[in-house]
């Protein structure tokens, strides 16, 4: 930007101006494009560093959740996001970009706060609270990414990589944490029952099955989760049919149905454990304590 001295009716100023032009000494303002590029480089670096740290931390997310809980996992992520925000706020925007840069930082702040609340929220009612907060976080981040890209910090629109750095990845860990706790509760009930308490075993199994059905399965594992739950339902139906067969005195049919129920239950459990281990849990559905 060229700064020109105020005009005067006197000839002295004109002569001075002519002399400045002849000597090439005319003053120029700040290089806006260079300042914008410097700001974009700093903000992009903040976003990239944040993603790299999130990727590293997220690799061990299921283990942290198993040992310390969801809130502890969220607490580990919070300072990483805060460091990114601090670095953004310290970067000096180019003249004319101040309002947009402030708006961007505010939107990233909203995204971080909603995301942190989502990760630490309790799992209730098909995890609706988590998904509502995640939608709020994603909406704010998308708006912030658009401004960052507009101002040259394109790296801020790049998402962190890794199985747990995505919404569905986090959702899978949350499902696994809740499912594992329900399984542990069922097994503790089983441990208190006598082998002859058949009706109570069946009641505990049905209660566990209802609670598992009420969970919202993560997209990646939804088909297999539905499959092992369907197998468990079929196992319970086979037990009901066996009870009816024994009641009418058809011992052979009853025993065959019991075998069918046991086989379906084993398949269901094996598939359930596979899903838990694939998500990343080491003690999935176990009553043992770390």
């Amino acid at each position: 930007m060229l700064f020109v001295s105020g005009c005067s009716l006197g000839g002295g100023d004109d002569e001075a101006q002519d002399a400045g032009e002849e000597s090439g000494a005319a003053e120029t303002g700040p290089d806006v494009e260079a300042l914008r590029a410097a700001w974009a480089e700093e903000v992009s670096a903040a976003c990239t560093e944040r993603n790299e740290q999130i990727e590293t931390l997220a690799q061990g997310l299921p283990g942290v959740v198993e040992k310390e809980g969801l809130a502890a996992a969220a607490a580990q992520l919070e300072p990483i996001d805060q460091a990114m925000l601090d670095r953004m706020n310290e970067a000096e925007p180019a003249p004319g970009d101040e309002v947009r840069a402030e708006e961007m930082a505010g939107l990233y702040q909203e995204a971080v706060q909603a995301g942190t609340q989502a990760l630490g929220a309790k799992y209730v009612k098909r995890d609706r609270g988590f998904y509502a907060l995640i939608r709020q976080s994603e909406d704010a981040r998308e708006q912030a990414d658009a401004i960052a890209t507009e101002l040259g910090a394109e790296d801020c629109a790049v998402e962190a990589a890794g199985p747990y750095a995505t919404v569905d990845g986090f959702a899978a860990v949350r499902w696994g944490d809740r499912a594992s706790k329900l399984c542990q509760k069922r097994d503790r009930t089983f441990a208190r029952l006598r082998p002859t308490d058949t009706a109570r075993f069946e009641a505990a199994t049905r209660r566990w099955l209802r609670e598992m059905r009420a969970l919202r399965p993560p997209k990646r594992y939804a088909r297999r989760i539905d499959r092992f739950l369907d197998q468990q339902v079929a196992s319970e139906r086979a037990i009901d049919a066996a009870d009816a067969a024994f009641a009418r005195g058809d011992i052979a049919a009853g025993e065959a149905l019991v075998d069918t129920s046991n086989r379906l239950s084993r398949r269901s459990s094996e598939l359930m454990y596979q899903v838990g281990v694939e998500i990343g849990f080491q003690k999935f559905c176990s009553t043992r304590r770390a």
Side-chain angles (χ1 to χ4, degrees), residues 70-117:
L70 290 165
Q76 289 190 11
L77 296 173
E78 188 173 4
I80 296 176
D81 280 324
Q82 189 58 51
M84 177 193 71
L85 293 172
D86 291 343
R87 193 168 173 184
M88 283 181 175
N89 287 323
E90 290 169 2
E92 188 70 27
D97 292 345
E98 295 91 349
V99 174
R100 293 293 276 166
E102 184 178 355
E103 182 182 1
M104 180 204 73
L107 286 165
Y108 277 128
Q109 178 75 51
E110 180 183 344
V112 166
Q113 288 177 343
T116 301
Q117 291 173 12

Side-chain angles (χ1 to χ4, degrees), residues 196-248:
T196 54
D197 288 338
T198 305
R200 291 184 177 181
F201 273 107
E202 292 178 8
T205 300
R206 290 191 174 94
R207 182 169 56 252
W208 167 77
L209 189 56
R210 284 196 304 271
E211 292 171 333
M212 288 291 291
R213 283 282 193 193
L215 300 183
R216 177 172 176 168
K219 293 178 182 177
R220 180 177 176 183
Y221 305 97
R223 288 186 179 181
R224 279 184 288 169
I225 291 171
D226 287 342
R227 193 186 314 152
F228 79 65
L229 290 174
D230 287 343
Q231 288 175 346
Q232 190 63 51
V233 169
S235 173
E236 291 304 302
R237 289 174 178 169
I239 280 292
D240 290 341
D243 290 341
F246 287 134
R248 65 174 181 267

Side-chain angles (χ1 to χ4, degrees), residues 42-84:
E42 179 65 16
V43 171
S44 288
C47 291
T48 299
E49 183 178 356
R50 178 259 183 194
N51 282 353
E52 290 173 350
Q53 292 181 358
I54 290 290
E55 290 166 16
T56 300
L57 183 61
Q59 290 175 4
L61 182 64
V64 173
V65 171
E66 278 188 313
K67 293 179 181 179
E68 303 178 46
L70 290 165
Q76 289 190 11
L77 296 173
E78 188 173 4
I80 296 176
D81 280 324
Q82 189 58 51
M84 177 193 71

Side-chain angles (χ1 to χ4, degrees), residues 130-254:
F130 167 78
Y131 282 102
L133 286 165
I134 283 295
R135 282 194 297 273
Q136 179 183 342
S137 178
E138 287 185 321
D139 288 345
R141 189 172 294 278
E142 285 178 5
Q143 295 177 60
D145 288 348
I147 298 174
T149 300
E150 172 193 326
L151 297 179
E154 292 90 351
D155 289 348
C156 288
V158 177
E159 294 184 359
Y164 311 116
T166 64
V167 172
D168 199 48
F170 277 120
V173 174
R174 290 177 62 81
W175 176 91
D177 176 64
R178 184 58 182 158
S180 185
K181 285 181 170 59
L182 291 175
C183 186
Q184 291 170 21
K185 184 176 74 171
R186 179 202 63 183
D187 289 348
R188 287 194 295 269
T189 300
F190 284 173
R192 293 195 297 267
L193 300 178
R194 296 190 301 271
T196 54
D197 288 338
T198 305
R200 291 184 177 181
F201 273 107
E202 292 178 8
T205 300
R206 290 191 174 94
R207 182 169 56 252
W208 167 77
L209 189 56
R210 284 196 304 271
E211 292 171 333
M212 288 291 291
R213 283 282 193 193
L215 300 183
R216 177 172 176 168
K219 293 178 182 177
R220 180 177 176 183
Y221 305 97
R223 288 186 179 181
R224 279 184 288 169
I225 291 171
D226 287 342
R227 193 186 314 152
F228 79 65
L229 290 174
D230 287 343
Q231 288 175 346
Q232 190 63 51
V233 169
S235 173
E236 291 304 302
R237 289 174 178 169
I239 280 292
D240 290 341
D243 290 341
F246 287 134
R248 65 174 181 267
D250 193 342
I251 305 301

